Amino acid sequence: MKRLLLMFLISILMVGCSNVSTEVKNSSKQTITSFFEAINSMEDYSSESELNKLKVYFTNDSSITDSLIEYLTTLESDRQNELVNYDFKISEFKKLNGIYKVKVEYDIVSKEDKSILNNSDMYIYLKDEDGKFKIETADCHD
């Protein structure tokens, strides 16, 4: 009987832990999804007010806020010679010392004709700040 009770408690603990992990993953995915959707909804990458709206996805002390926003908007559009959108998927998720490392694979897509111009990936590192996951830093690859 004690063994059965112990097994039951362990199974509840395991389910509880997996729910927290699922909740963290879902919340992290939501942050990344909202960030890329916000970029995709922009019509003018030179508008400071539009670019500033993206800053809500970053931690207060993030050192890459402006550079990542510029990279994904202005620089990538200049490199492709047209405005771009992003089709993305999350392919990895790892917890590392209080932050979450998320691999995002993405296609760079023409806003005009929806053709795929290029593809790349990056690691986005998320941190819980005031109960919300926000971008702390990122590693971009080409």
Side-chain angles (χ1 to χ4, degrees):
M1 183 70 172
K2 286 183 182 181
R3 181 175 275 174
L4 183 60
L5 181 59
L6 181 61
M7 294 294 281
F8 178 71
L9 291 174
I10 289 173
S11 67
I12 288 174
L13 180 62
M14 289 173 58
V15 169
C17 291
S18 66
N19 286 343
V20 170
S21 178
T22 300
E23 185 178 318
V24 166
K25 284 182 183 180
N26 289 341
S27 183
S28 298
K29 287 178 184 179
Q30 183 58 48
T31 296
I32 291 169
T33 298
S34 296
F35 176 65
F36 278 100
E37 286 176 350
I39 292 172
N40 289 346
S41 70
M42 292 175 65
E43 293 297 326
D44 182 6
Y45 291 156
S46 64
S47 168
E48 283 299 315
S49 65
E50 288 293 308
L51 294 171
N52 284 333
K53 290 178 185 176
L54 297 174
K55 292 182 179 183
V56 300
Y57 298 101
F58 292 83
T59 60
N60 292 330
D61 60 351
S62 176
S63 63
I64 59 131
T65 302
D66 292 330
S67 59
L68 183 60
I69 290 171
E70 181 180 24
Y71 175 78
L72 290 173
T73 58
T74 310
L75 293 179
E76 195 59 59
S77 288
D78 287 350
R79 189 162 68 164
Q80 301 300 332
N81 293 318
E82 62 181 292
L83 290 179
V84 297
N85 274 345
Y86 296 93
D87 280 337
F88 63 94
K89 71 175 186 172
I90 295 171
S91 59
E92 273 180 45
F93 184 90
K94 295 179 185 173
K95 183 176 182 180
L96 302 171
N97 299 327
I99 61 172
Y100 297 89
K101 179 180 178 180
V102 182
K103 184 175 183 182
V104 179
E105 298 173 352
Y106 57 93
D107 291 330
I108 302 165
V109 180
S110 167
K111 267 192 189 272
E112 186 176 323
D113 66 10
K114 310 297 185 222
S115 62
I116 297 175
L117 305 170
N118 202 350
N119 55 47
S120 190
D121 62 70
M122 72 172 70
Y123 287 99
I124 294 178
Y125 298 84
L126 300 170
K127 181 178 171 185
D128 186 338
E129 184 174 86
D130 301 326
K132 294 182 181 178
F133 283 99
K134 295 191 175 189
I135 300 169
E136 173 74 18
T137 191
D139 297 330
C140 300
H141 309 106
D142 285 325

